[in-house]
Amino acid sequence: MEFTAQTIADFLKGSIEGNPLEKVNNISRIEEGTKGTLAFIANPKYEKYIYTTGASIVLVNKDLKLDKKISPTLIRVEDAYQAFASLLNLYTSQLPQKKGIDPNSYISDTASYGKDCYIGAFTFLGDHATVGNNVKIYPQVYVGDNVAVGDNTILYPGVKIYKDCVVGKNCILHASTVVGSDGFGFAPGEGTYQKIPQIGNVIIEDDVETGSNVSIDRATIGSTILRKGTKLDNLIQIAHNVEIGENTVVVAQAGIAGSTKIGKNCMIAAQAGIVGHLTIADDVKIGAQSGVANSLKNKGEIVLGSPAHNFSETKRSMIIYKKLPEMYSRLNELEKKLNELRENNT
Amino acid sequence: MEFTAQTIADFLKGSIEGNPLEKVNNISRIEEGTKGTLAFIANPKYEKYIYTTGASIVLVNKDLKLDKKISPTLIRVEDAYQAFASLLNLYTSQLPQKKGIDPNSYISDTASYGKDCYIGAFTFLGDHATVGNNVKIYPQVYVGDNVAVGDNTILYPGVKIYKDCVVGKNCILHASTVVGSDGFGFAPGEGTYQKIPQIGNVIIEDDVETGSNVSIDRATIGSTILRKGTKLDNLIQIAHNVEIGENTVVVAQAGIAGSTKIGKNCMIAAQAGIVGHLTIADDVKIGAQSGVANSLKNKGEIVLGSPAHNFSETKRSMIIYKKLPEMYSRLNELEKKLNELRENNT
Amino acid sequence: MEFTAQTIADFLKGSIEGNPLEKVNNISRIEEGTKGTLAFIANPKYEKYIYTTGASIVLVNKDLKLDKKISPTLIRVEDAYQAFASLLNLYTSQLPQKKGIDPNSYISDTASYGKDCYIGAFTFLGDHATVGNNVKIYPQVYVGDNVAVGDNTILYPGVKIYKDCVVGKNCILHASTVVGSDGFGFAPGEGTYQKIPQIGNVIIEDDVETGSNVSIDRATIGSTILRKGTKLDNLIQIAHNVEIGENTVVVAQAGIAGSTKIGKNCMIAAQAGIVGHLTIADDVKIGAQSGVANSLKNKGEIVLGSPAHNFSETKRSMIIYKKLPEMYSRLNELEKKLNELRENNT
C-alpha cells in the first residue's frame, strides 16, 4: 500500500511543507531513512538527521525550527510522537489477526471463551476460566482455574496466570510473565521458616500492559492490584498486596515490596526499588536505581538516590561526591594550617 | 465452614478476650475487615486498625496494649504471625488437591513417579527422571533427563529443570523458574570467547521455596547448592557453584555471583549483589541494593551500601551524603577565612 | 574412559611434571579433587589447594610457582583456563545428542528445518519459520512466524521468539529467555498513554549466548541487534533498538535502555544500568551496579558508580564516603576553632 503526504496529513490533521503528492509505502528511523519511507522526529537529539535523512516524508512537531534547506516533505503536527503512534496503530490494525482454537490446546469442560478468540497450541485453560471476546492467547500460556480474562486482551507465549486472578480488557501481557505466584511470606520460627499460605489474588484492571519475565505475586489476603492504564516494562517485581495507581509507569527491573501503595500517574524509573508498607503520592517520579525507604506523601515529588531523596539536592550531592578525595585533602590541609596559626598565636 | 472464637483459640492455644461464641467463616486484612471475618495484627504499623476494623475476631500478640474499647473479639497468642500462618495452613490443607496424570503430558518410558502425583498437560518428564510421592507438577513444566524430584514438592507452570539436577522433598518452585541453565563461563581468547562447558548440576535440598522467574545456574564442575530451608523470592540470580546455607532468605532481584558461599540463616535483602568467590558467615544480614565486594567473615555482621560496609556507619554516611553540597560550601568558606587570618597575621 | 597424563598433555600441547602414566577418568574442582580425577587452577585464589588436593592430575599455567612438594602430576600449559575449556568441549562433544522431531510438537506446514535437528515435545514452529541444520530445540519453545534460526543453534526449554526475529548460527539461548517482545514505547496523552506499536524485530548474529530469563525487546522500527559473539548472562534487560557490539559481555541483571549503542569487546558487569540513546565506545568496562547516564566516548574507558564515573576516582570517593561522618565532625570542629582564633585576633 502506498500513501501520499496529503492522505497522511489529512488523517493526522497536520500541515504539509513540501510536496503533497510525495508517496511512501514503508516506515523508517530518521537516521536510516530511504526513499519511499516515512520517518518522524520527536526527540530533539534526532533533529540533526532532518538534514541528511533519505526519508521521503518526515513527521515533526509544529514548532520545529529549520536552519537550512531540507529534502524531505514535512508533515507538521501538534505532537509528532502521538501522531506517529496513531499511524502505527492504523498500520498494525490492518495486519492479519490470529484466530481459532488450536486442537493442541487444553480447554477444561467448564472453561468458556467468547467470539473471535485465538487459543494457541499447548495453551491450558483451567476449570471455570472465563475468556472474553477477541482475546488472543498465544501458545504455551497457562490460565489457571477461575481466572477471568477480559475482551481484546493479548497473552503472549508462555504467560502464566495462577488460579483466581483477574485480567481486564485491552490488556497485553508479554511472554513468560507470571501473575499470581505466591507472595514471599514466611513466619520466622526457631531457625526455620513457616510458610504463610497466600490465599489472595491479583487483579489487573483494563488497559494494562506488562513486559516479559515480570513477576506479580498474589496477595496474602485480598488482592495485589494494577489499576487501569498501568504500564510495566520487563523483569519487574511486584510483591504481594502492592497496589499501583492508574496510568503509573514502571520501567525495567524495578521492584516494589509488599503492601506498598503507589499513586496515579507516577513514573518509577529502571532498577529502582521501593520498600514495603509505604505510600507513594500521585504524580511522583522516582529516578533510576533509586532506593525508596520512606513514604513519599507530596504529590508530584521527584526523588533520586539510594536512599532516595529530593531530586535536585541529590544531583548536587552526586556532583560533590566525585570531589570527595579532593575535599578530604583540603580538610587535612586546613587542619594543619589552622594548628600552625594557633601555635603561632600562643 | 464456620468456626467460633473458642474453637480457634483452642487450636492455637490462645486466650479469648470478648465473646467465645463469636463466629467467622472467612479471613480478611485488618484494615478491610468485615463481619464474619478473622483478621490478625503482627506488624505494629497496623495496630491502629484494631479500633476501626469490622472484623469479628482479631488474632493479636499476647502483649498488645489497648488504649480504648474495641469491638472485635480478640484471641491473644504468643506470636500472632505464626498463629495466623498455622490457621492458613490448616485452611489450605483442606482445599481440593490436583491429582492424576494428564494424557497431554509427555512422560519418558524410563521416567518414574510415585503415588498421588499430579502431572499436568504439556509437561515433559525426560529419560530416567524420578518423581516422588504426592508431587504436584503443573502444566508446561520441563523435567530433564535424570532429574530427581522428592516427595510432596510442587513445581508450578513453566518451571524448567535441566538434566541431572536434584530437587528435594517439600519444595515449592514458582512459575518460569529455571534450574540448571549453564553457568556464565567463558575463557577469553583473541577478541572472542571460548565457552566453558558446564558439566555440574544443581542440588536443591528439602524445604526450599523459590519465587517465579528465578535463574539458578548449574555448576561448572560439582554442584550449585541450595541447602535445606532456603527461601528465594522472585527474579533472583544464583550463579554457578554458589552454595547457600540452611534457612537463608534471599529477597527479590538479588544476585549472587559464581562460587560464592553463603552461610546459614542469612538475610539478603532485595536488589543486593554479591561478588563471586566470596565467603559469607552465618547469620549475616545484607541490606537492600547493597554491593558486597569482600567476604564477610563475622557471624551476624550487618552490612549496607555499595560497596557494602558496616550497617550503622553506612547509615551515618548516608545522612551526611545529603549534606555534601553544604559541606562543600563550608569548606570553601573556611579556606577563605583562614587565608584572611594568615594574611592578617603576617 | 580413562586417559593418561601423556595423552592429555599431547592433546593440549602441555608439559608434564610428574608421572606421565597417571590416569584419570573424571573431572573435579581442585578443592574437592579425588584420586582418578583431573582438576585445574586458573585463578590465583585457588593455588593454595595444589598442596592439599586429592586430584591425580592438575592443569596449571606454565608459570605457576611451587613452594613445596606436591602429590598430583602437573600438566603445564600456556593458559590453564582455555586448556581446561578445550578438554571439557572435547568431553561434551562426545555425549549423546538429542535428535528427531517429537510427534507432540506443532510445526506449521510452511515451516522448514534442516538435517539432524531435534524438535522437542510441545514446541511450536510458526508459519514460514526456517530452522537450519543440526539445530536443537528443546520442549516448550515458541518460534514465531517468519523466524529464522541458523545452523547448530540450541534453544533450551521455554525460549520464546516472537515473529520476524532472526537468530544466527552456533547460538545458545537458555530457558525462558524472550526474544522480540514489544519495546516499552508509549506516547503520553492526557493522563493516559497511547501504545506505540513495535514493528521492528531482533537480530541475533552468530556465536551469541544468552542466559535464562533474559528479555530482548524488538525495535520500534528497524532492529535490536546483538552482534557476533555477544555473551549475555541471566535476567538481563535489552530494550528496543539497542545494539550490542561484537564479543561484548553483559553480566547478570544488567539493563540497557532504548536505542543505546554499545561497542565491541565491552564488559558490562552485574546489575549495571545504562540510560537510553547513549553511545558506548569499544573496549569499555562498566563496573557492577553502575548507572551510566552519559555516552562513554573513549575507547577502553573504565567506569564505576551511580552515576558512573572514572573507575579509580570513584574507588577513591568510595573510600572517603565511609569517612563522611568523621569529616563532618572535623569540619564542625575546624569552624569552631577558626571562629575562636578570629575572635582572639580582633
Side-chain angles (χ1 to χ4, degrees):
Chain A
M1 276 187 301
E2 220 170 35
F3 300 92
T4 64
Q6 190 65 57
T7 311
I8 296 166
D10 289 351
F11 173 73
L12 296 174
K13 300 191 176 77
S15 63
I16 298 173
E17 216 165 291
N19 177 10
L21 299 179
E22 190 70 49
K23 284 175 186 159
V24 292
N25 61 16
N26 209 339
I27 285 164
S28 65
R29 302 173 72 190
I30 183 74
E31 65 271 40
E32 297 165 351
T34 51
K35 195 169 159 55
T37 66
L38 174 139
F40 82 106
I41 299 176
N43 184 333
K45 275 198 183 184
Y46 290 82
E47 284 179 8
K48 62 183 176 192
Y49 294 112
I50 192 76
Y51 304 108
T52 54
T53 188
S56 298
I57 304 179
V58 183
L59 265 182
V60 298
N61 287 330
K62 220 167 174 173
D63 55 3
L64 176 78
K65 290 211 177 64
L66 297 174
D67 298 335
K68 46 186 175 182
K69 241 190 112 198
I70 60 166
S71 78
T73 291
L74 295 189
I75 298 177
R76 291 185 179 270
V77 292
E78 204 61 55
D79 181 330
Y81 198 40
Q82 276 222 333
F84 181 68
S86 301
L87 275 189
L88 283 180
N89 276 301
L90 181 69
Y91 167 79
T92 53
S93 70
Q94 289 169 355
L95 295 177
Q97 297 269 310
K98 294 272 177 191
K99 267 188 195 171
I101 310 304
D102 194 295
N104 296 301
S105 61
Y106 170 93
I107 301 179
S108 159
D109 292 345
T110 57
S112 67
Y113 52 88
K115 286 182 296 179
D116 300 322
C117 285
Y118 167 53
I119 299 181
F122 317 125
T123 275
F124 176 97
L125 255 65
D127 298 342
H128 307 288
T130 62
V131 170
N133 295 316
N134 194 37
V135 171
K136 310 297 178 196
I137 307 185
Y138 279 76
Q140 302 147 342
V141 170
Y142 175 84
V143 177
D145 298 347
N146 309 312
V147 167
V149 179
D151 297 347
N152 311 314
T153 282
I154 301 172
L155 305 178
Y156 278 107
V159 165
K160 311 295 178 199
I161 307 179
Y162 283 56
K163 66 173 180 176
D164 302 331
C165 293
V166 177
V167 178
K169 296 177 185 175
N170 313 311
C171 291
I172 300 174
L173 273 62
H174 277 284
S176 284
T177 278
V178 175
V179 175
S181 42
D182 280 351
F184 196 61
F186 299 92
E190 287 157 21
T192 66
Y193 291 90
Q194 185 183 10
K195 180 173 176 65
I196 312 284
Q198 306 286 308
I199 64 168
N201 74 345
V202 175
I203 297 176
I204 296 181
E205 294 187 354
D206 300 344
D207 306 323
V208 170
E209 181 163 345
T210 80
S212 59
N213 288 318
V214 169
S215 292
I216 306 172
D217 281 349
R218 68 196 308 109
T220 311
I221 313 168
S223 301
T224 303
I225 304 176
L226 303 189
R227 296 266 177 228
K228 195 171 152 60
T230 298
K231 310 294 178 195
L232 304 186
D233 200 347
N234 302 330
L235 292 161
I236 286 169
Q237 151 74 353
I238 306 291
H240 48 175
N241 291 99
V242 163
E243 182 179 335
I244 301 191
E246 290 184 16
N247 298 308
T248 278
V249 168
V250 186
V251 187
Q253 297 177 317
I256 303 173
S259 299
T260 280
K261 194 174 167 179
I262 314 271
K264 298 179 195 175
N265 305 308
C266 292
M267 181 90 71
I268 299 168
Q271 298 184 335
I274 306 181
V275 161
H277 298 279
L278 302 185
T279 302
I280 308 295
D282 295 346
D283 301 315
V284 164
K285 288 190 170 58
I286 296 171
Q289 297 189 327
S290 295
V292 178
N294 294 104
S295 289
L296 299 173
K297 301 201 166 162
N298 300 318
K299 197 178 159 169
E301 206 170 336
I302 309 181
V303 299
L304 181 66
S306 177
H309 176 62
N310 177 283
F311 180 85
S312 49
E313 288 180 27
T314 302
K315 277 280 188 188
R316 282 199 292 271
S317 285
M318 283 173 168
I319 289 164
I320 307 294
Y321 179 80
K322 297 182 189 170
K323 303 182 178 174
L324 277 182
E326 170 214 311
M327 279 177 74
Y328 196 72
S329 307
R330 285 167 61 191
L331 191 63
N332 288 341
E333 187 64 18
L334 264 176
E335 281 178 345
K336 209 177 101 191
K337 286 189 185 163
L338 184 72
N339 285 338
E340 285 169 11
L341 260 189
R342 280 156 59 102
E343 277 165 29
N344 293 346
N345 272 16
T346 52
Chain B
M1 274 187 299
E2 222 171 34
F3 299 91
T4 63
Q6 190 64 58
T7 311
I8 296 166
D10 288 352
F11 173 73
L12 297 174
K13 299 191 177 75
S15 65
I16 298 173
E17 212 164 294
N19 178 10
L21 299 179
E22 191 69 51
K23 285 174 186 159
V24 291
N25 60 16
N26 209 339
I27 284 164
S28 65
R29 302 173 70 189
I30 183 74
E31 65 271 40
E32 296 164 349
T34 52
K35 194 170 160 52
T37 67
L38 173 138
F40 81 106
I41 298 177
N43 184 333
K45 277 198 182 183
Y46 290 82
E47 283 179 8
K48 61 184 177 192
Y49 294 112
I50 192 76
Y51 305 107
T52 55
T53 188
S56 297
I57 303 179
V58 183
L59 265 182
V60 298
N61 288 330
K62 220 169 174 173
D63 54 4
L64 176 79
K65 291 212 174 62
L66 297 174
D67 298 335
K68 46 186 175 183
K69 242 191 113 197
I70 59 166
S71 78
T73 291
L74 295 190
I75 299 177
R76 291 185 180 273
V77 292
E78 205 62 53
D79 181 330
Y81 197 41
Q82 276 221 334
F84 180 68
S86 301
L87 274 189
L88 283 180
N89 277 303
L90 181 69
Y91 167 79
T92 54
S93 71
Q94 288 169 356
L95 294 177
Q97 297 269 310
K98 294 274 176 191
K99 268 190 195 167
I101 310 306
D102 193 295
N104 297 300
S105 60
Y106 170 91
I107 302 179
S108 159
D109 290 347
T110 57
S112 67
Y113 52 88
K115 285 182 298 177
D116 300 322
C117 285
Y118 166 53
I119 298 182
F122 318 124
T123 275
F124 176 97
L125 254 65
D127 298 343
H128 307 288
T130 61
V131 171
N133 295 317
N134 194 36
V135 171
K136 310 298 178 194
I137 307 186
Y138 280 76
Q140 302 147 344
V141 169
Y142 175 83
V143 178
D145 298 348
N146 308 313
V147 167
V149 179
D151 297 345
N152 309 315
T153 282
I154 302 173
L155 305 178
Y156 278 107
V159 165
K160 311 295 178 200
I161 307 178
Y162 284 55
K163 66 173 180 178
D164 302 331
C165 294
V166 178
V167 179
K169 296 178 185 176
N170 312 312
C171 291
I172 300 174
L173 273 63
H174 278 284
S176 284
T177 278
V178 175
V179 176
S181 41
D182 280 350
F184 197 60
F186 299 92
E190 288 158 20
T192 65
Y193 290 90
Q194 186 184 9
K195 181 172 176 66
I196 312 283
Q198 307 285 307
I199 65 168
N201 73 345
V202 176
I203 297 176
I204 296 181
E205 295 188 352
D206 300 343
D207 305 322
V208 170
E209 180 162 347
T210 81
S212 57
N213 289 316
V214 169
S215 291
I216 306 171
D217 281 350
R218 70 196 306 110
T220 310
I221 312 167
S223 301
T224 304
I225 305 175
L226 304 189
R227 296 263 178 234
K228 196 170 150 60
T230 298
K231 310 295 178 192
L232 304 185
D233 200 348
N234 303 328
L235 293 160
I236 285 169
Q237 153 73 353
I238 306 292
H240 47 177
N241 290 100
V242 163
E243 183 178 333
I244 301 190
E246 290 185 17
N247 298 308
T248 278
V249 168
V250 185
V251 186
Q253 298 176 315
I256 303 171
S259 299
T260 280
K261 196 173 167 182
I262 314 271
K264 297 180 194 176
N265 304 307
C266 293
M267 179 91 70
I268 299 169
Q271 300 184 334
I274 306 180
V275 162
H277 298 280
L278 302 185
T279 303
I280 309 295
D282 295 345
D283 300 315
V284 164
K285 288 189 169 62
I286 296 172
Q289 299 188 326
S290 295
V292 178
N294 294 103
S295 289
L296 299 173
K297 300 201 166 161
N298 300 318
K299 196 177 161 173
E301 206 171 335
I302 308 180
V303 298
L304 181 65
S306 176
H309 175 62
N310 176 284
F311 181 84
S312 49
E313 287 179 30
T314 302
K315 278 280 189 189
R316 281 198 293 271
S317 285
M318 284 174 167
I319 290 165
I320 308 293
Y321 179 81
K322 296 184 189 170
K323 301 182 181 174
L324 276 183
E326 171 213 311
M327 279 177 72
Y328 196 69
S329 308
R330 285 168 61 189
L331 192 63
N332 288 341
E333 187 63 19
L334 263 176
E335 282 178 344
K336 208 176 104 192
K337 287 189 186 162
L338 185 70
N339 285 338
E340 285 168 11
L341 261 188
R342 281 156 58 101
E343 279 165 29
N344 293 347
N345 271 16
T346 52
Chain C
M1 275 188 301
E2 223 171 32
F3 301 90
T4 63
Q6 190 64 59
T7 312
I8 296 167
D10 288 351
F11 173 72
L12 297 174
K13 300 190 176 74
S15 63
I16 298 173
E17 214 165 293
N19 177 11
L21 298 178
E22 189 71 50
K23 285 177 188 159
V24 292
N25 61 15
N26 209 341
I27 285 164
S28 65
R29 302 172 71 191
I30 183 74
E31 65 271 40
E32 296 164 351
T34 51
K35 193 169 162 52
T37 67
L38 173 139
F40 82 106
I41 298 177
N43 184 334
K45 275 197 182 185
Y46 291 81
E47 284 178 8
K48 61 183 175 192
Y49 294 111
I50 194 73
Y51 304 107
T52 55
T53 188
S56 298
I57 303 179
V58 183
L59 265 182
V60 298
N61 287 330
K62 221 167 173 172
D63 55 3
L64 177 79
K65 293 211 173 63
L66 295 174
D67 298 335
K68 45 187 174 181
K69 241 191 113 198
I70 59 167
S71 79
T73 291
L74 295 190
I75 299 177
R76 291 186 179 269
V77 291
E78 204 63 53
D79 181 329
Y81 198 39
Q82 277 221 333
F84 181 68
S86 302
L87 274 189
L88 282 180
N89 277 302
L90 181 69
Y91 168 78
T92 54
S93 72
Q94 290 169 354
L95 295 177
Q97 296 269 310
K98 293 274 177 190
K99 267 190 196 168
I101 311 304
D102 193 295
N104 297 300
S105 60
Y106 169 92
I107 300 180
S108 160
D109 290 346
T110 58
S112 67
Y113 52 87
K115 286 182 297 179
D116 299 323
C117 286
Y118 167 53
I119 299 182
F122 317 125
T123 274
F124 175 98
L125 254 66
D127 298 343
H128 306 287
T130 61
V131 170
N133 295 318
N134 193 36
V135 172
K136 310 298 177 193
I137 307 185
Y138 279 76
Q140 302 148 344
V141 168
Y142 174 84
V143 177
D145 298 348
N146 310 312
V147 166
V149 179
D151 296 347
N152 309 316
T153 283
I154 302 173
L155 305 178
Y156 278 107
V159 164
K160 311 296 178 197
I161 307 179
Y162 283 56
K163 66 173 179 179
D164 303 332
C165 293
V166 177
V167 179
K169 295 178 186 175
N170 313 312
C171 292
I172 300 174
L173 273 62
H174 278 283
S176 284
T177 278
V178 175
V179 176
S181 42
D182 281 349
F184 196 61
F186 299 93
E190 290 159 17
T192 65
Y193 291 90
Q194 185 184 8
K195 179 172 178 66
I196 313 281
Q198 306 286 309
I199 64 169
N201 74 344
V202 175
I203 297 176
I204 296 180
E205 294 187 353
D206 299 345
D207 305 323
V208 170
E209 180 163 345
T210 81
S212 58
N213 289 316
V214 169
S215 292
I216 306 172
D217 282 349
R218 69 198 306 109
T220 310
I221 312 168
S223 300
T224 304
I225 304 176
L226 304 190
R227 295 264 177 234
K228 197 170 152 58
T230 299
K231 309 294 179 194
L232 304 185
D233 199 349
N234 303 329
L235 292 161
I236 285 170
Q237 152 73 355
I238 306 292
H240 48 177
N241 291 100
V242 163
E243 183 178 333
I244 301 190
E246 289 184 18
N247 298 309
T248 278
V249 168
V250 186
V251 187
Q253 298 178 316
I256 303 172
S259 299
T260 280
K261 195 173 166 180
I262 314 270
K264 297 180 195 175
N265 304 308
C266 293
M267 180 89 72
I268 300 169
Q271 300 185 334
I274 305 181
V275 161
H277 299 278
L278 303 185
T279 302
I280 308 296
D282 295 346
D283 300 316
V284 164
K285 288 191 169 60
I286 297 172
Q289 299 190 326
S290 295
V292 178
N294 294 105
S295 288
L296 299 173
K297 300 197 168 164
N298 302 318
K299 197 178 158 171
E301 207 171 334
I302 309 180
V303 298
L304 180 66
S306 178
H309 175 64
N310 176 282
F311 181 83
S312 50
E313 289 180 27
T314 302
K315 278 279 189 189
R316 283 198 291 271
S317 286
M318 284 174 166
I319 289 164
I320 308 294
Y321 179 81
K322 296 184 189 169
K323 302 182 180 173
L324 277 182
E326 170 214 312
M327 279 177 74
Y328 196 72
S329 309
R330 285 167 59 191
L331 192 63
N332 288 342
E333 187 63 19
L334 263 176
E335 281 177 345
K336 209 177 102 191
K337 286 189 186 159
L338 185 71
N339 285 337
E340 285 168 11
L341 259 189
R342 279 156 61 99
E343 278 166 30
N344 292 349
N345 272 15
T346 52

